[in-house]
Amino acid sequence: MNQRTILLEVNPQAFFGEQNSTIDLLKSYFPKVKIVARGNEIHAFGEESLLDEFEKRLEQLILHFEKYNHLDRNTIERILTSDNSILLPSTLLDRDFIVHGVKGKIIRAQTPNQQKLLDLIGKNDMVFAIGPAGTGKTYTSVALAVRALKNKQVKRIILTRPAVEAGENLGFLPGDLKEKLDPYMQPLYDALLDMIPFDKLNSFIENGTIQIAPLAFMRGRTLDNAFVILDEAQNTTYVQMKMFLTRMGKNAKFIITGDPGQIDLPKKVSSGLIEALHIIKEIKGIGTLWLDDKDVVRHPLVKEIINAYTRAEQEED
């Protein structure tokens, strides 16, 4: 039987996880490899080809731990199940940094597809980022916008969403229009508060450097020198999407995010996002990225919920 010994240059106790959870996951994904953890060493026994694959996956886990000082179950499973072609190579790890957030928090791309989003927005002025809930579409896009503002690549950030009610009626909420819409825009505020101190963010909003508004407020505008994000784009109509895409001015970056699986439009109304993806697919200078359950960075249950709903919807079809 062949043997490999991998020396850990990180804290083995932290890397192995509570009750050796990392080792247990490795064992479950490599049932034909005997894995023994002793001190700061991992010993693996098995066929040569399996050991090659095991060592490659283990190296990815170690590299991730060195960068983030943390390994959760979702990350481990993503690295262990990803196709070899989309594993984040060590040569890219220095490129995943996006921006320093509040209190020195380092915000990075956390999955290969999030890294692709960084690459796409560097090469294109407009990018569509499509995928299910929890894949970091909005958060990564906002981080890229904040970076562009801090680097003086743009003069303002504009964040917008179509004001479509997800089963609730905004008209019954108390307050004026802004007070009614603020809770709906809260995910955008939450992302910004991770990256910009509260007082500074308020100052930016007051002087118009950062604008957060419903999509209807974009009509008639030309958005120059701006990083613009259209969030929840699956809830735009054909007319709204066409209007938004044609707002693009000089020195502008546009990211359009959406989840075709969460359309809240009336049944007879087509999603402007789905139609746009067909209409613009031949245009050079527009990037498109599809994220999936392997990119989910929320609680591990989110991935399971997405998969369960996908199966249920496929059975209905």
Side-chain angles (χ1 to χ4, degrees):
M1 183 179 289
N2 300 300
Q3 176 182 352
R4 298 278 176 88
T5 297
I6 297 93
L7 180 66
L8 295 177
E9 296 182 358
V10 296
N11 184 324
Q13 186 175 359
F15 179 80
F16 292 154
E18 188 175 348
Q19 297 181 336
N20 283 338
S21 57
T22 302
I23 299 300
D24 289 343
L25 271 174
L26 282 167
K27 289 178 179 178
S28 68
Y29 280 95
F30 289 93
K32 295 184 179 180
V33 176
K34 181 180 179 181
I35 303 167
V36 180
R38 289 178 182 156
N40 65 340
E41 293 181 342
I42 294 179
H43 303 276
F45 306 84
E47 294 181 6
E48 197 70 20
S49 59
L50 289 175
L51 291 179
D52 287 343
E53 181 67 15
F54 171 78
E55 190 168 1
K56 184 188 301 180
R57 302 287 172 163
L58 181 59
E59 180 186 72
Q60 291 292 323
L61 291 175
I62 294 170
L63 286 169
H64 189 283
F65 186 83
E66 287 176 342
K67 281 288 179 181
Y68 304 108
N69 295 312
H70 177 69
L71 268 179
D72 57 38
R73 183 185 182 92
N74 195 52
T75 299
I76 296 169
E77 289 183 339
R78 184 174 66 246
I79 291 173
L80 293 180
T81 59
S82 293
D83 294 336
N84 286 333
S85 60
I86 64 170
L87 273 173
L88 190 62
S90 58
T91 54
L92 291 181
L93 285 174
D94 290 336
R95 296 166 52 211
D96 62 3
F97 170 78
I98 304 176
V99 70
H100 283 100
V102 175
K103 296 182 180 178
K105 178 179 181 179
I106 296 176
I107 296 168
R108 302 179 181 274
Q110 296 188 51
T111 72
N113 273 331
Q114 288 182 13
Q115 177 66 55
K116 287 180 183 177
L117 180 55
L118 274 66
D119 295 338
L120 278 175
I121 200 61
K123 298 173 183 176
N124 302 276
D125 287 336
M126 182 179 291
V127 173
F128 284 77
I130 315 300
T135 51
K137 305 181 300 294
T138 300
Y139 192 86
T140 305
S141 298
V142 171
L144 288 167
V146 171
R147 180 177 72 177
L149 183 66
K150 287 186 174 183
N151 291 343
K152 302 188 185 301
Q153 295 169 328
V154 297
K155 293 182 179 178
R156 55 186 172 157
I157 295 173
I158 298 172
L159 309 176
T160 186
R161 280 181 158 196
V164 175
E165 301 157 9
E168 299 93 9
N169 191 330
L170 292 174
F172 290 101
L173 293 172
D176 58 21
L177 180 61
K178 181 180 183 303
E179 290 170 328
K180 288 181 179 182
L181 288 171
D182 274 353
Y184 187 74
M185 300 293 183
Q186 194 61 48
L188 301 174
Y189 287 110
D190 290 343
L192 285 168
L193 284 169
D194 254 9
M195 304 167 201
I196 302 173
F198 180 79
D199 292 342
K200 185 71 170 177
L201 177 58
N202 280 342
S203 175
F204 279 153
I205 291 173
E206 288 174 6
N207 66 26
T209 300
I210 294 179
Q211 301 169 27
I212 306 174
L215 181 58
F217 287 27
M218 299 297 109
R219 188 173 298 278
R221 302 179 65 184
T222 299
L223 306 176
D224 294 320
N225 299 307
F227 200 115
V228 187
I229 299 170
L230 170 58
D231 196 33
E232 299 287 343
Q234 74 275 5
N235 289 326
T236 61
T237 64
Y238 175 95
V239 172
Q240 287 175 324
M241 179 61 80
K242 180 181 177 183
M243 178 274 292
F244 174 77
L245 296 180
T246 54
R247 299 307 93 200
M248 195 173 202
K250 296 177 181 177
N251 189 40
K253 291 280 189 181
F254 273 40
I255 296 184
I256 298 95
T257 72
D259 175 7
Q262 291 191 345
I263 297 174
D264 299 313
L265 294 165
K267 289 185 178 179
K268 293 183 179 180
V269 179
S270 299
S271 168
L273 173 63
I274 293 175
E275 292 179 323
L277 290 171
H278 292 292
I279 292 169
I280 57 85
K281 62 183 179 181
E282 302 297 334
I283 301 177
K284 293 182 180 179
I286 299 178
T288 304
L289 173 67
W290 292 86
L291 301 99
D292 55 32
D293 61 287
K294 294 183 181 67
D295 298 295
V296 172
V297 291
R298 292 181 183 171
H299 192 285
L301 283 176
V302 174
K303 175 181 175 180
E304 301 302 325
I305 291 168
I306 290 170
N307 289 336
Y309 269 90
T310 300
R311 289 192 297 271
E313 289 161 4
Q314 288 173 345
E315 289 171 3
E316 288 179 3
D317 293 340

